[in-house]
Amino acid sequence: VHISSFQVFRSYICYFKIATFCASDPDNDADQEALRYSLHGQGAESEFIIDEVTGKIYAQRTLDREARAVWRFVVLATDEGGEGLTGFTDVIINVWDINDNAPIFACAPDSCHGDVSENSPPGTSVMEMTATDLDDAAVGQNAMLAYRIVGNAALNGANSGADVFSINPATGTVSVAMSGLDREQTDSYVLVVEARDGGGMIGTATATIHVTDINDHVPRFLDRTCSVRIPESSEPNTLIIELAAEDADAGENGQLTFSVVAGDPEQKFYMVSHRQEQRGTLRLKKHLDYERPGEQRFNLTIKVEDMQYSSLLHCTLEIEDCNDHMPVFIPHFIQLPAVREDVAPGTNVASVAASDLDSGLNREITYSIASESDPYHLFSVDQSGLVTVASELDREKVAQHHLVILATDHGTPPLTGTATIQMALLDVNDNGPEFEAAYAPIVWENVLGPQVVRLNQSSTLLKAVDRDSEENVLLLGIFLYTRWRSYKGLKEGVYHVSAHHDGWEDIRENVLNYDEEGGGEEDQVRTATIRRDVPPCCSPDLARYLCEIIRDADQHPETAPFDSLQVFSTEGGGSLAGSLSSFSSAGLEEGTAAGHECLKEWGPRFEKLKALYERAEGSDL
């Protein structure tokens, strides 16, 4: 038994004879031509066949060394025409290589990608462009490869990729060939790489090299100046200004953060960063108050930064005043001393002043008087705050004034502050007495006296009023009656003085004088009139004044006593009180108290009058 080894080249012709096997039969009488050959094992009857008579082995199809480089099988030889004894031999066939395979890049066609950081120095390895050749590397040069860069498939920058990168011809390692890689200038290169084997067969592939970013750029604001005006009334979170910056870097190196780093000690503002968009918005964090010191203007320093570098921008914020303060009076309530009601128009009565914390038009003030507090337009105020009397005052119409002074600023919308001036009026005797009603008394004839005269259906009293104050009014109630009196044929009057008034000051200014008109008919109905020209009284003593006018009336009986307090002329006689009129005062019983005691019957109101008469009789008048 023996093993035969053969080497054959790859054959392109079927039934190519590979080898011939010859066997011998040692028997003396053996017929050597009766030997028969057969093939057994790998590739028998498929890849290889053997001629059973001659022992020649043939390949039935083209051999591919790259598919199978070695074949093993057994060849049998049988004598007596294949019926006798058998011998065998092991056959090994080695397929010799030929250069029938071109180099192939493993990354082709779509996966040849490499990355390199910008600014990488020359010699920096970028990627491996390795090709394979299926030919036999151990035999000849069929699998010996050489690499080179043959050009740019696409040029995406100023430099040619063939100049920027190099490739190791033996290993296929691509490296940086020159300095100055700048991603911001050229972010990728596309190279065509060739691999050539020793037999001259070529394989190519396209390599894409991406230049990765490093943080080599400082962020910059697009605007070199920043100035903005903000209304004082802006609400928190209001957008004030949007700032944009630029950074040529990419990825995290190009994501920017904005912040306020100076000029805002009370943290009135804050920045919102849109990092990937490289912009930031300045927003209001707290309410603004223009009137506070230091809040009319803000000089902010705003910083933009990436992961390593930063830059600054100075931003001026001008705060616009809003009309958020109303004018304020100090004081807001003024109590003035009482003013005489006859004060002349144009007289100054008060001065007011209001202040407004706002600025500009918002603090300019116009003064006015609320119309409901001065319905008759008796006062005016000028723009200096001086309040004056505009027209004549009348205490009897309005006794006390409560003026509401308005201070209105010129803002939008305008705001108004108020102050109140309280002022009472002092009475002046500028009103004469007036009858309370139109009296039409009736006296019946042929009625024995005394006869009570009814002034109207419900009253026997004659009443007069004076619209001045109590200090200038002395109200006198009158009881009118008639009686016959034969003494001197004179009519008698009755004084009825109210006792509610204990002071006699200024009595003369409000003396009511009643007169009778008409002829001397005793049954004539008498009417009353008011005298306004009462003579001044030098002494406040009413008693002395009464005595003086009584004396004048006695000395001049022909003159009506127009200076008396109130004189009611009556007809008839028989009055129990007797006559108190100055017409017949001389006829009173002098020196006796009996003439005055009858006054007690008229009630306590006549006690004062009785005392006056008694004092007058005791005096030298």
Side-chain angles (χ1 to χ4, degrees):
V1 177
H2 67 277
I3 299 175
S4 298
S5 178
F6 301 93
Q7 288 186 340
V8 297
F9 291 101
R10 179 177 179 179
S11 174
Y12 295 94
I13 303 176
C14 293
Y15 304 106
F16 178 79
K17 185 177 73 172
I18 298 176
T20 300
F21 288 90
C22 293
S24 61
D25 189 342
D27 294 330
N28 293 325
D29 56 352
D31 186 0
Q32 300 298 325
E33 294 181 357
L35 294 175
R36 298 291 182 266
Y37 299 94
S38 63
L39 187 63
H40 302 276
Q42 296 175 349
E45 304 300 332
S46 60
E47 300 295 331
F48 303 95
I49 60 173
I50 190 168
D51 188 329
E52 63 177 7
V53 176
T54 63
K56 296 180 180 180
I57 298 176
Y58 296 92
Q60 295 193 99
R61 58 177 56 89
T62 302
L63 298 180
D64 187 357
R65 190 204 68 83
E66 287 73 37
R68 188 167 190 152
V70 179
W71 294 91
R72 294 176 181 272
F73 46 85
V74 176
V75 177
L76 299 180
T78 305
D79 60 10
E80 297 181 1
E83 299 294 334
L85 296 176
T86 301
F88 67 90
T89 182
D90 289 325
V91 179
I92 298 175
I93 299 177
N94 293 313
V95 182
W96 286 358
D97 180 53
I98 63 172
N99 192 21
D100 59 347
N101 289 280
I104 298 175
F105 287 92
C107 62
D110 299 321
S111 301
C112 300
H113 296 281
D115 297 301
V116 62
S117 297
E118 62 178 329
N119 296 333
S120 295
T124 302
S125 176
V126 177
M127 64 185 299
E128 298 291 334
M129 287 296 292
T130 303
T132 59
D133 195 317
L134 297 179
D135 294 322
D136 191 355
V139 178
Q141 301 294 319
N142 294 336
M144 298 294 293
L145 303 180
Y147 300 93
R148 65 171 182 158
I149 297 174
V150 296
N152 298 300
L155 186 62
N156 205 13
N159 295 322
S160 168
D163 299 330
V164 176
F165 300 96
S166 64
I167 190 169
N168 188 308
T171 64
T173 300
V174 179
S175 303
V176 176
M178 58 182 295
S179 61
L181 274 177
D182 188 355
R183 187 203 67 83
E184 288 72 40
Q185 184 176 4
T186 306
D187 60 358
S188 64
Y189 294 88
V190 180
L191 307 179
V192 178
V193 179
E194 176 187 277
R196 180 187 295 268
D197 62 18
M201 298 192 73
I202 297 173
T204 61
T206 301
T208 301
I209 300 176
H210 299 280
V211 181
T212 60
D213 183 64
I214 64 171
N215 193 15
D216 59 345
H217 288 82
V218 177
R220 304 288 184 186
F221 285 97
L222 296 183
D223 296 322
R224 301 307 177 193
T225 61
C226 174
S227 180
V228 65
R229 302 183 68 87
I230 310 171
E232 176 189 11
S233 59
S234 299
E235 292 294 326
N237 299 320
T238 298
L239 173 63
I240 297 174
I241 190 174
E242 183 173 271
L243 298 173
E246 60 181 358
D247 191 324
D249 295 322
E252 291 185 353
N253 297 327
Q255 295 182 4
L256 305 181
T257 301
F258 297 80
S259 59
V260 178
V261 295
D264 186 21
E266 296 186 3
Q267 296 183 352
K268 294 281 188 178
F269 307 92
Y270 70 98
M271 290 292 302
V272 177
S273 298
H274 306 278
R275 300 185 63 198
Q276 294 184 351
E277 300 175 16
Q278 297 186 339
R279 63 184 180 88
T281 55
L282 179 65
R283 294 180 178 270
L284 183 64
K285 185 176 183 179
K286 301 177 182 178
H287 283 287
L288 298 172
D289 187 357
Y290 181 88
E291 288 67 42
R292 290 187 61 187
E295 290 199 18
Q296 293 80 34
R297 171 185 291 187
F298 292 87
N299 293 312
L300 303 183
T301 300
I302 299 176
K303 181 170 72 172
V304 59
E305 57 185 331
D306 58 19
M307 299 183 65
Q308 185 175 358
Y309 303 103
S310 65
S311 60
L312 302 177
L313 175 68
H314 297 285
C315 194
T316 301
L317 307 183
E318 296 286 347
I319 309 303
E320 295 179 342
D321 181 48
C322 292
N323 194 24
D324 57 347
H325 290 84
M326 67 174 57
V328 176
F329 285 93
I330 298 178
H332 66 278
F333 179 81
I334 301 175
Q335 178 72 54
L336 295 179
V339 177
R340 287 173 58 91
E341 67 173 318
D342 61 350
V343 64
T347 302
N348 300 331
V349 294
S351 179
V352 296
S355 60
D356 195 316
L357 295 178
D358 294 318
S359 63
L361 292 176
N362 295 330
R363 71 177 302 170
E364 293 185 10
I365 295 175
T366 298
Y367 294 101
S368 61
I369 298 176
S371 58
E372 62 272 14
S373 69
D374 185 23
Y376 302 109
H377 307 291
L378 302 177
F379 299 89
S380 64
V381 59
D382 62 18
Q383 296 315 302
S384 68
L386 191 62
V387 181
T388 59
V389 178
S391 59
E392 293 182 355
L393 305 179
D394 188 354
R395 190 203 66 85
E396 289 69 45
K397 192 173 184 180
V398 180
Q400 191 172 53
H401 293 275
H402 297 270
L403 297 179
V404 178
I405 309 299
L406 307 177
T408 305
D409 61 28
H410 294 181
T412 304
L415 299 179
T416 300
T418 63
T420 302
I421 298 177
Q422 182 172 311
M423 179 180 63
L425 296 183
L426 292 175
D427 185 49
V428 175
N429 190 25
D430 56 350
N431 291 280
E434 299 174 355
F435 284 109
E436 190 176 53
Y439 294 106
I442 299 176
V443 179
W444 300 99
E445 64 179 344
N446 300 326
V447 176
L448 295 178
Q451 179 185 162
V452 177
V453 178
R454 303 193 68 85
L455 299 176
N456 51 35
Q457 292 182 354
S458 61
S459 175
T460 59
L461 290 178
L462 184 65
K463 295 182 180 179
V465 295
D466 191 317
R467 292 187 297 117
D468 291 321
S469 63
E470 292 184 358
E471 290 78 5
N472 296 324
V473 175
L474 177 62
L475 297 179
L476 304 179
I478 308 301
F479 179 80
L480 186 62
Y481 73 99
T482 62
R483 71 184 179 94
W484 288 102
R485 180 178 177 85
S486 61
Y487 181 76
K488 294 184 180 181
L490 296 177
K491 303 173 182 66
E492 296 181 351
V494 177
Y495 293 91
H496 186 183
V497 182
S498 174
H500 79 280
H501 194 284
D502 294 329
W504 302 102
E505 292 81 5
D506 296 328
I507 289 298
R508 66 177 182 80
E509 296 183 355
N510 293 83
V511 172
L512 306 183
N513 178 61
Y514 294 81
D515 192 13
E516 57 179 316
E517 296 179 344
E521 295 293 333
E522 292 183 349
D523 57 352
Q524 182 178 353
V525 177
R526 307 302 181 185
T527 60
T529 59
I530 300 177
R531 278 292 304 276
R532 299 183 183 272
D533 54 344
V534 180
C537 180
C538 297
S539 171
D541 190 350
L542 178 61
R544 181 177 297 276
Y545 178 70
L546 293 174
C547 291
E548 289 177 354
I549 60 175
I550 292 173
R551 180 192 62 187
D552 292 341
D554 288 343
Q555 293 177 356
H556 305 283
E558 71 280 1
T559 303
F562 295 123
D563 295 332
S564 62
L565 282 176
Q566 296 181 4
V567 178
F568 293 84
S569 297
T570 62
E571 291 185 319
S575 173
L576 296 177
S579 176
L580 296 180
S581 172
S582 58
F583 283 112
S584 57
S585 60
L588 293 176
E589 296 181 3
E590 298 181 0
T592 64
H596 310 307
E597 290 297 325
C598 62
L599 292 176
K600 293 182 178 180
E601 298 177 8
W602 293 86
R605 294 178 180 269
F606 287 84
E607 289 293 328
K608 190 70 173 180
L609 189 59
K610 174 177 176 294
L612 293 176
Y613 271 103
E614 289 175 351
R615 289 175 57 190
E617 290 178 353
S619 66
D620 57 355
L621 296 176

